Amino acid sequence: MDINFNKNEDHNKLLLSDLKRRLTKVKLGGGEKRIAKLHEQGKLTARERIEYLLDKDSKSIEIGAFVGDEMYQEHGGCPSGGVVVKIGFIKGKQCIVVANDATVKAGAWFPITGKKNLRAQEIAIENKLPIIYLVDSAGVYLPLQDEIFPDKEHFGRIFRNNAIMSSMGITQIAAVMGSCVAGGAYLPIMSDEALIVDKTGSIFLAGSYLVKAAIGESIDNEVLGGATTHCEISGVTDYKAKDDKDALDKIRNIVDKIGGYDKAGFSRIEPKKPTENPEDIYGILPKSRGEQYDMKEIIKRLVDGSEFEEYKEGYGQTIITGYARIDGWAVGIVANQRKVVKTTAAKTKPSEMQFGGVIYSDSADKATRFIANCNQKKIPLVFLQDVTGFMVGSKSEHGGIIKDGAKMVNAVSNSVVPKFTVIVGNSYGAGNYAMCGKAYDPRLIFAWPSAELAVMGGAQAAKVLLQIEASSLKAKGEEITPEKEAELFDKIKARYDKQVSPYYAAARLWTDAIIDPLDTRKWISMGIEAADHAPIEKQFNLGVIQV
C-alpha cells in the first residue's frame, strides 16, 4: 500500500466516524428526557417499536435518518423529520414501516415530515410493498401550517395515497399507539386494518378542549376517542391491544397471513462475496474530490466474486458500463470513470486525453445503448455517480454533446427496470441528471460520506459568485483590494461548501440516506428484492430522439 492509500483511508474513516457520531445523535430523537417520559407512560419509542416489530437478526435499512438535519432550529429542530422509516422483514415478508416519533414535538408534522411520509408511500407504491403505520402524532405543526396543509405534495396527499394503494391491493396496516388527531385520524381508518392501544391510543377529529370550545360539550379524551370507544361503539378500529408490544405482536400475526405476490422475475443466484477486500474502498477513494482514481477498482469491491463483464470497454471510457451480480442479483452498472483516459473515438483526435468524471459524447452514447440493453434483458440498473458534468467547449458543442447528452437523459427517464443510484463522490449539474439523480425516480438513492451534490464544485461556484458580488460592490463605489477579494471568496466558498455537503442533501430528502460504503451491497440487494414485488407493466420506449 502506498502513502496516498493510507492518507485516503485515514480521511475516509474519519468521515465514517463522523457519520456514526451523527447517527447516534439522530437516534435520540427529541432527547433522553423525552424518551424517559414515554417509558414512564408505558410506551416504547418509535425506534423501539420498529425494532420489536421487525424479525430479529434480519436485514433492514433506514430511509431518511438525516431528514430535517439542522432545519427548523428556531422551532427547536426536527430530528429525522419526526418520523422513522425502515424497510425490513416481518415474518419473513419485506415491508416498509413508518413510525411517528413522539419525542419530537409530540410527533407533530413539520413540512419535511410530510415529504418523508410521502417518500415512504412512494416506495411502497413503486415496489408494491406492504406498509405499516405506527401512529403517535399531535397532527400538523400549527406554526408552519401554511407549508404543509393545502398543496399537492402536502399533508392531504397522504390520504390520497392511502386510497390509491388500497385500489392497487397494497396491504396497509395502522396501529394507533398514541395521539391521532384532526386530519391525521383518516390515515389509520383508510388503511386495510387498524389497531389501537388501550389507554394510550386515541383517535378523534377534535380533542376535548376543541370540542368544548366549538360546541360546549364537556368530555374527556378517552371517552371521546379511546380504544373502548372505537373498538366497541364506533367500530372505527378493528383490534384493541393492551400495550405497545401486544399491538406489534398482532401486526406480526396479521402480516404472517398475507399471501404471496407476483414477482418481476429479476435474475438471482447464490450470492458470493467480493474476492477483493471491500475495505480497500477507504484507501482507493481519494481525500480530495478533484483527484483521479480508477472506478473499476471500486466496482471490484462491490460485486459478487469481483467479477465484472465490461460493455464497450474501449469506447466512451469516461463512463464504465457492464454486467455483474450484487448479493446474487444481476445488475447493469453505469459508473463515472474518474481517471484521465486516452481515446480514439470518432469525435476526437486519436490518442486524445479525456478528463475523468466528465461525460463526453461517446460516453453518453455508450451509456444510452447499455441502458436500452438492460431494459431489453430485464436487468436492474445501478448508477455509481462521481460526475462533474458534461464536457464543454467548441469541440464538444460542434460534436453534438447536447444531443448525445439528451439521448442519455431520455434513456434514463424512460427506463422501466428499477434504478438505484449511489453517490460516491461528485454529483454536479446535468451530470446528476444523466446519472439518475433524484429527479429521475431511482427506487433508492443514497450517498457515501464523500459525496457532494451541487450545480458545480465549491471553488468554481465561489469564483462565479465572487465576480457577481465584487461587481455589485464596485458599482456602489467600494474598492476591492486583493485582501478583500480573498476574504469574500473564503466567505462565499464556506457558505457554498455547506450546501454541497451530503448532510445538507439528506436533510432535504434529496437522498434517502448517507451510508458506510461497506453497506452498499445490502442497500442494493434489499432494493432489488423490494422491486421484485412489482412486475414490470410498461415497455421500454425511448420516444423521439435525434440520432
Side-chain angles (χ1 to χ4, degrees):
M1 300 295 178
D2 61 23
I3 189 69
N4 279 338
F5 185 98
N6 294 333
K7 285 181 179 178
N8 292 340
E9 186 176 43
D10 289 345
H11 172 73
N12 286 309
K13 285 190 173 179
L14 281 173
L15 291 181
L16 181 60
S17 176
D18 182 48
L19 169 64
K20 290 177 178 176
R21 179 187 61 78
R22 288 172 182 253
L23 277 172
T24 299
K25 183 180 177 183
V26 153
K27 287 177 180 178
L28 289 174
E32 291 176 345
K33 288 184 180 178
R34 289 179 183 168
I35 290 172
K37 189 176 178 182
L38 271 190
H39 288 164
E40 284 169 16
Q41 296 168 354
K43 296 164 72 174
L44 300 174
T45 66
R47 292 182 182 279
E48 289 167 342
R49 287 167 176 168
I50 293 176
E51 184 181 4
Y52 186 89
L53 180 61
L54 297 179
D55 295 343
K56 298 294 178 282
D57 301 320
S58 64
K59 292 189 298 184
S60 66
I61 55 177
E62 182 172 352
I63 304 296
F66 289 110
V67 163
D69 185 49
E70 295 189 359
M71 296 171 67
Y72 311 113
Q73 294 301 309
E74 67 277 22
H75 297 278
C78 188
S80 282
V83 62
V84 182
V85 176
K86 282 196 175 184
I87 301 174
F89 295 89
I90 301 171
K91 293 285 185 175
K93 293 182 172 66
Q94 197 175 27
C95 302
I96 184 162
V97 185
V98 181
N100 298 114
D101 186 350
T103 69
V104 180
K105 298 288 183 186
W109 286 56
F110 283 67
I112 201 70
T113 315
K115 186 174 182 179
K116 186 170 175 179
N117 275 268
L118 287 170
R119 175 63 179 143
Q121 289 185 322
E122 180 183 42
I123 291 170
I125 290 168
E126 283 183 330
N127 300 292
K128 293 187 167 61
L129 280 184
I131 184 166
I132 318 296
Y133 306 101
L134 306 180
V135 185
D136 193 346
S137 171
V140 166
Y141 183 62
L142 289 177
L144 297 173
Q145 64 85 28
D146 62 319
E147 297 179 42
I148 190 173
F149 167 62
D151 210 343
K152 181 178 177 180
E153 300 300 330
H154 284 178
F155 192 60
R157 189 77 171 182
I158 303 289
F159 315 127
R160 175 264 187 193
N161 286 351
N162 288 143
I164 295 296
M165 283 191 280
S166 183
S167 73
M168 293 174 68
I170 297 170
T171 298
Q172 300 175 83
I173 301 167
V176 179
M177 310 180 82
S179 297
C180 183
V181 301
Y186 288 104
L187 185 145
I189 314 313
M190 293 189 74
S191 298
D192 301 337
E193 297 186 82
L195 305 84
I196 186 168
V197 178
D198 196 21
K199 301 297 185 287
T200 56
S202 57
I203 310 172
F204 31 66
L205 294 181
S208 55
Y209 292 122
L210 187 52
V211 167
K212 176 71 174 175
I215 63 173
E217 180 184 4
S218 294
I219 189 169
D220 67 57
N221 283 340
E222 185 63 27
V223 175
L224 181 65
T228 299
T229 294
H230 285 311
C231 286
E232 300 176 19
I233 300 172
S234 72
V236 163
T237 50
D238 306 308
Y239 307 90
K240 183 198 285 189
K242 64 182 186 219
D243 56 26
D244 278 11
K245 288 185 178 180
D246 186 37
L248 298 169
D249 286 337
K250 289 180 186 298
I251 292 172
R252 286 179 58 79
N253 289 334
I254 294 167
V255 171
D256 187 43
K257 312 302 185 297
I258 297 173
Y261 56 90
D262 295 332
K263 293 189 177 183
F266 303 123
S267 170
R268 192 181 199 187
I269 61 173
E270 188 67 29
K272 291 194 293 187
K273 291 182 179 178
T275 55
E276 299 286 346
N277 185 2
E279 293 201 6
D280 289 347
I281 289 172
Y282 302 128
I284 295 167
L285 200 62
K287 178 178 178 180
S288 166
R289 295 306 321 122
E291 286 180 30
Q292 298 176 46
Y293 66 96
D294 189 350
M295 180 64 86
K296 291 179 188 178
E297 294 302 318
I298 298 286
I299 292 171
K300 287 178 188 176
R301 287 154 179 84
L302 294 177
V303 301
D304 290 13
S306 299
E307 296 167 359
F308 181 60
E309 188 67 38
E310 191 167 356
Y311 171 83
K312 288 186 176 292
E313 181 178 1
Y315 177 69
Q317 294 179 66
T318 63
I319 286 184
I320 301 165
T321 52
Y323 303 104
R325 289 190 181 271
I326 292 179
D327 199 34
W329 294 104
V331 294
I333 294 175
V334 181
N336 301 113
Q337 175 59 291
R338 277 308 308 265
K339 68 176 187 177
V340 172
V341 295
K342 287 185 178 181
T343 180
T344 54
K347 293 184 181 180
T348 58
K349 294 176 183 177
S351 300
E352 182 172 324
M353 305 302 290
Q354 289 189 344
F355 297 106
V358 178
I359 301 175
Y360 289 78
S361 284
D362 52 352
S363 304
D365 175 61
K366 176 171 83 170
T368 302
R369 288 174 167 211
F370 182 72
I371 290 165
N373 278 339
C374 288
N375 275 270
Q376 184 88 346
K377 297 180 179 72
K378 205 159 71 170
I379 300 172
L381 285 158
V382 174
F383 292 83
L384 301 178
Q385 282 196 9
D386 194 345
V387 58
T388 51
F390 284 87
M391 191 58 189
V392 296
S394 61
K395 187 180 294 182
S396 290
E397 297 295 358
H398 297 169
I401 185 67
I402 295 175
K403 181 178 65 177
D404 291 316
K407 286 193 290 187
M408 183 176 173
V409 169
N410 196 319
V412 172
S413 303
N414 285 299
S415 179
V416 296
V417 295
K419 298 168 292 195
F420 302 90
T421 302
V422 187
I423 305 175
V424 171
N426 302 325
S427 181
Y428 296 158
N432 169 282
Y433 300 161
M435 291 294 294
C436 197
K438 183 67 181 288
Y440 293 81
D441 297 324
R443 296 293 177 98
L444 293 172
I445 177 170
F446 47 95
W448 292 357
S450 48
E452 292 187 356
L453 287 82
V455 172
M456 63 179 75
Q460 300 96 312
K463 286 174 185 174
V464 174
L465 293 169
L466 174 64
Q467 290 174 22
I468 295 168
E469 194 157 336
S471 296
S472 174
L473 291 172
K474 284 177 183 175
K476 293 174 184 175
E478 289 192 36
E479 183 186 353
I480 307 298
T481 63
E483 293 75 21
K484 176 72 173 175
E485 190 172 277
E487 182 187 333
L488 275 173
F489 177 82
D490 290 342
K491 183 180 175 183
I492 292 167
K493 187 173 184 302
R495 185 175 68 228
Y496 196 87
D497 283 346
K498 183 179 180 181
Q499 293 181 0
V500 306
S501 158
Y503 295 97
Y504 190 90
R508 288 150 184 82
L509 209 52
W510 300 344
T511 61
D512 291 317
I514 304 169
I515 69 163
D516 181 344
L518 301 191
D519 287 334
T520 303
R521 283 169 54 84
K522 178 177 77 169
W523 271 73
I524 292 170
S525 177
M526 286 198 70
I528 299 176
E529 186 167 351
D532 205 36
H533 287 71
I536 297 170
E537 295 168 354
K538 287 168 58 181
Q539 291 228 327
F540 178 64
N541 186 341
L542 273 179
V544 177
I545 59 170
Q546 293 188 13
V547 226

